[in-house]
Amino acid sequence: MLAAYVSHFDPDHPLRGLAIGARPMPAGRESWTRVRVVAASLNHHDLSSLRGGAAMRQRGGAGLTEADLPKILGMDAAGVTEDGREVIIYPLVTRPGQFGALSGRYDGTFAEYVVVPDENLIPKPSSLSFETAACLPTAWLTAYRMLYEKAEIPPGGTVLVQGASGAVPTALVVLGKNAGYRVWVTGRSDETRAFALKLGADAAFEMNARLPERVDAVMDVVGAPTWPHSLKCLKRFGTLVAPGATSGYAATVDIARLFTMELRIVGTAMGSLQQLEALIDLCASQQLPVPIDRVIGLKDIGAAFDAMEKGRLRGKAVIRFRG
Ligand SMILES: NC(=O)c1ccc[n+]([C@@H]2O[C@H](COP(=O)([O-])OP(=O)(O)OC[C@H]3O[C@@H](n4cnc5c(N)ncnc54)[C@H](OP(=O)(O)O)[C@@H]3O)[C@@H](O)[C@H]2O)c1
């Protein structure tokens, strides 16, 4: 079968280790299901996989090693089982003794077929396209958990999203408005700020601009360049939620502000299977818009990763498989 996989690591030029070619059909396993992938979506996690896991392992995370290669990329997918069920795949395997992620311990979704534990399959509502469904399991699930579990925003409160047009920021805008919050964003350009406003954001500011008033929570996907601003923007008892950093991990924290304002800094990663089920229900029942920058064939994945690396995607990039 055709797949996109990591052939070797290159921390500085991750796309040099990206290969597209034939891989063996995944073998069936007891209580695992083989899924024909219809659509899959790209995440920064895939770029991290191509860079190699050394940096993440130093920070306590899991990461690929040479011994894991070749490894099929991809966390997110929607597809069809051999008995004809349309499903969305939850990317984390949480069985005792088998813990791991697709594209980590197990081969991922950028392939014509993938095998996953039976309980990782969620029925795809017919009102969601395969392309939309494939966007939800990582970036959107992360945004869902940030807003609804981690941030503890009071009803009708104000949330600042650092970033305007990326995958997690756009999910935060859509989900935040749907929850009744006032949602402000910062963006790097007029174009990205306009993108967020069109999606429903209440206001859009230049990066690191002074805000009209302090906010209840800040969702910071950017990292080092915005963390000082994020902390300054928070009300007393406010929360900074951090799912990652597109632009640098080594941020400066004003510790005096942290304790005098009694702020909280909360890290977050992905979400649970139950949260993904709830997110899928929400997106289907409310017909929430899920911005997709492009739908591509597998052969164009390199250009889409390049756009992601350069911060040029507006929402998600989705691979559509033939068949
Ligand atoms: N912990 C988890 O489970 C999890 C899950 C998903 C993602 N993440 C992490 O969350 C972060 C965001 O993911 P994403 O998919 O939303 O990324 P993305 O689509 O590339 O979006 C990046 C966002 O960051 C903003 N940004 C500001 N300064 C930037 C700079 N110097 N370079 C690049 N972007 C900059 C961009 O603003 P503009 O809109 O103005 O361009 C954009 O909105 C990544 O670090 C990713 O690894 C973590």
Side-chain angles (χ1 to χ4, degrees):
M1 66 170 185
L2 200 59
Y5 58 94
V6 188
S7 66
H8 62 273
F9 300 130
D10 192 325
D12 300 322
H13 306 284
L15 296 186
R16 290 183 186 167
L18 172 67
I20 300 169
R23 298 293 309 144
M25 188 77 158
R29 298 173 68 165
E30 175 74 31
S31 74
W32 289 52
T33 301
R34 187 152 57 198
V35 178
R36 177 173 63 78
V37 178
V38 177
S41 78
L42 279 60
N43 288 290
H44 277 275
H45 179 82
D46 301 305
L47 279 175
S48 299
S49 298
L50 288 160
R51 289 193 179 97
M56 274 302 151
R57 285 198 306 281
Q58 279 165 12
R59 296 181 165 96
L64 295 176
T65 67
E66 298 285 348
D68 297 314
L69 301 185
K71 179 69 69 181
I72 297 177
L73 289 163
M75 301 268 285
D76 294 355
V80 183
T81 62
E82 283 166 343
D83 59 5
R85 288 173 290 142
E86 296 188 349
V87 294
I88 302 173
I89 294 172
Y90 178 64
L92 301 182
V93 179
T94 56
R95 287 184 184 179
Q98 297 184 344
F99 192 86
L102 302 187
S103 76
R105 180 169 180 177
Y106 305 100
D107 269 330
T109 59
F110 294 173
E112 290 172 295
Y113 292 89
V114 63
V115 291
V116 299
D118 296 345
E119 66 273 16
N120 284 47
L121 300 177
I122 302 171
K124 182 184 82 61
S126 56
S127 60
L128 292 184
S129 68
F130 280 101
E131 288 85 348
T132 295
C135 294
L136 303 181
T138 296
W140 274 69
L141 177 59
T142 300
Y144 182 95
R145 185 178 214 165
M146 290 169 76
L147 275 175
Y148 297 159
E149 180 189 327
K150 301 283 183 165
E152 299 184 11
I153 306 163
T158 303
V159 54
L160 175 69
V161 179
Q162 298 280 23
S165 67
V168 176
T170 52
L172 288 166
V173 169
V174 172
L175 294 173
K177 286 311 297 173
N178 188 67
Y181 302 135
R182 184 165 62 158
V183 181
W184 292 349
V185 303
T186 64
R188 288 182 290 174
S189 68
D190 288 344
E191 187 220 327
T192 63
R193 291 189 288 272
F195 193 90
L197 289 171
K198 204 167 163 204
L199 210 50
D202 295 287
F205 304 91
E206 292 182 11
M207 309 294 309
N208 294 320
R210 188 181 174 84
L211 302 182
E213 61 187 73
R214 291 206 172 109
V215 301
D216 298 287
V218 180
M219 310 284 144
D220 194 324
V221 304
V222 179
T226 48
W227 263 51
H229 179 251
S230 293
L231 289 172
K232 272 190 204 157
C233 291
L234 285 170
K235 287 180 187 166
R236 181 174 294 276
F237 308 125
T239 306
L240 165 58
V241 186
T246 48
S247 322
Y249 292 122
T252 305
V253 173
D254 181 344
I255 295 170
R257 178 177 294 275
L258 188 70
F259 67 75
T260 54
M261 296 288 282
E262 298 191 57
L263 306 177
R264 296 189 315 136
I265 299 176
V266 183
T268 190
M270 297 288 289
S272 66
L273 175 70
Q274 292 72 25
Q275 286 174 325
L276 180 56
E277 288 170 335
L279 169 65
I280 291 166
D281 270 357
L282 184 66
C283 290
S285 62
Q286 307 284 310
Q287 282 296 291
L288 298 182
V290 176
I292 293 177
D293 184 276
R294 64 188 75 185
V295 178
I296 54 171
L298 195 62
K299 67 176 174 36
D300 294 321
I301 193 174
F305 273 132
D306 185 52
M308 172 182 276
E309 207 183 5
K310 294 186 168 123
R312 291 188 184 146
L313 292 181
R314 309 285 169 253
K316 296 282 293 175
V318 174
I319 305 162
R320 173 87 195 194
F321 287 82
R322 292 214 197 102

